[in-house]
C-alpha cells in the first residue's frame, strides 16, 4: 500500500515507519513525505531514506487551505492510498479530509479522549497531575482527535517527569503502534463500526 506521511517536526515517528517499511514482507511503502515546515528535521530523515518530499512551508504559504492543497496534490500524484499524520501540526481542511475519507491515521500523545484537540497534550497531562497517560493511534474524521481508535497504550507518569521525559516514553510506544496500525490497515484488518474500530488479529500472531 502506498503511504503518504505528513510531518512538521522531529520525525521520529516517520523514522519508525521508514524502518518498518524496510522489514521484509511489510505491506506498505512510503511514497512521499509531505511537510509544512521547511526547517523540519523530519525532512532530512526522508531524504536519507531516498523518499520523495513535498514542502508547503507555513512562512511562504500562509494560507492553510493553499498549503494543504499543495500537499494533497503531491499525495495524489504519488497515488497515495493511506495518509499518516506523524506529528503534523495542522488541522486538516475539509477538502483534504474529503479526498482521503477513512484513509487517514493520526498518532496523538495522550489517551484520547483525554487531552484531545490540543498540540500540548503532554504538557497538559503533566500539569493536570494524571498518573497515567499514553498514546492513541486513531482514524481521522472531521471531529478533531475523536475518530475511531485503532490502538492505545498507557504510559505511567512518574513523580519526577517533565514534559520532555514523559514525551520520550510516549514516543517509544508510538514508534511501535503507528507501524502496527499501518500494517493492520494495509492488510485489510481494520473494521469500522460506528465510532468504534476493530483491528483483527494478524495471521502471523
Ligand atoms: C508525536 O508525539 C505525536 O503524537 C505528536 O507529535 C509528536 C511528533 O513526534 N502529534 P515526531 O516528530 O514523530 O518525533
Amino acid at each position: 500500500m502506498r503511504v503518504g506521511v505528513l510531518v512538521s517536526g522531529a520525525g521520529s515517528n516517520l523514522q519508525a515507519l521508514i524502518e518498518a517499511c524496510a522489514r521484509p514482507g511489510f505491506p506498505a511503502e512510503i511514497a512521499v513525505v509531505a511537510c509544512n515546515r521547511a526547517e523540519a528535521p523530519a525532512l532530512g530523515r526522508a531524504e536519507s531514506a531516498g523518499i520523495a518530499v513535498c514542502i508547503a512551508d507555513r512562512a511562504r504559504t500562509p494560507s492553510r487551505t493553499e498549503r494543504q492543497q499543495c500537499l494533497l496534490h503531491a499525495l495524489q500524484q504519488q497515488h497515495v492510498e493511506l495518509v499518516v499524520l506523524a506529528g503534523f501540526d495542522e488541522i486538516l481542511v475539509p477538502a483534504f479530509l474529503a479526498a482521503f475519507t477513512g484513509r487517514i491515521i493520526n498518532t496523538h500523545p495522550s489517551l484520547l479522549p483525554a487531552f484531545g484537540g490540543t498540540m500540548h497534550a503532554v504538557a497538559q497531562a503533566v500539569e493536570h497531575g494524571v498518573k497515567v497517560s499514553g498514546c492513541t493511534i486513531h482514524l481521522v474524521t472531521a471531529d478533531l482527535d475523536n475518530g475511531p481508535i485503532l490502538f492505545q497504550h498507557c504510559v505511567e507518569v512518574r513523580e519526577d517527569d517533565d514534559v520532555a521525559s514523559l514525551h520520550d516514553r510516549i514516543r517509544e510506544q508510538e514508534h511501535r503502534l503507528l507501524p502496527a496500525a499501518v500494517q493492520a490497515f494495509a492488510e485489510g484488518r481494520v473494521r469500522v463500526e460506528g465510532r468504534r474500530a476493530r483491528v483483527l488479529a494478524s495471521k502471523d500472531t
Side-chain angles (χ1 to χ4, degrees):
M1 180 166 283
R2 292 178 69 74
V3 177
V5 184
L6 267 59
V7 293
S8 302
S12 68
N13 281 286
L14 168 64
Q15 189 65 43
L17 282 170
I18 290 171
E19 287 165 20
C21 288
R23 292 201 296 257
F26 194 81
E29 61 177 314
I30 303 175
V32 60
V33 169
C35 182
N36 63 346
R37 293 183 185 269
E39 75 289 359
L43 287 169
R45 297 179 189 268
E47 279 157 14
S48 301
I51 300 168
V53 301
C54 167
I55 305 168
D57 187 50
R58 291 173 72 108
R60 293 180 61 133
T61 312
S63 151
R64 181 163 57 108
T65 304
E66 271 179 44
R67 270 197 311 277
Q68 290 190 15
Q69 189 55 50
C70 170
L71 299 179
L72 174 60
H73 182 66
L75 266 53
Q76 287 172 328
Q77 272 196 325
Q78 291 286 345
H79 306 290
V80 160
E81 302 163 271
L82 170 67
V83 178
V84 176
L85 308 183
F88 186 63
D89 63 4
E90 292 183 15
I91 295 171
L92 294 179
V93 298
F96 197 111
L97 286 169
F100 283 101
T101 304
R103 293 183 293 142
I104 308 175
I105 291 174
N106 181 43
T107 176
H108 186 82
S110 72
L111 292 175
L112 290 172
F115 310 116
T118 172
M119 301 302 300
H120 307 289
V122 182
Q124 287 187 4
V126 171
E127 276 158 29
H128 198 89
V130 294
K131 302 303 184 196
V132 285
S133 190
C135 62
T136 303
I137 317 295
H138 65 97
L139 292 169
V140 173
T141 63
D143 197 1
L144 183 61
D145 287 338
N146 208 22
I149 292 170
L150 301 175
F151 292 116
Q152 288 187 303
H153 195 89
C154 343
V155 172
E156 180 196 0
V157 183
R158 298 176 186 156
E159 288 297 327
D160 59 352
D161 261 331
D162 57 19
V163 176
S165 63
L166 177 58
H167 204 163
D168 282 350
R169 294 203 310 288
I170 290 174
R171 274 195 173 95
E172 282 174 24
Q173 299 307 321
E174 294 183 289
H175 297 167
R176 207 169 51 77
L177 292 181
L178 189 58
V182 169
Q183 178 169 2
F185 194 95
E187 291 176 349
R189 291 189 283 110
V190 174
R191 300 276 184 279
V192 179
E193 293 153 9
R195 70 138 293 111
R196 297 175 62 171
R198 218 153 40 99
V199 180
L200 306 181
S202 142
K203 287 193 289 291
D204 304 331
T205 55

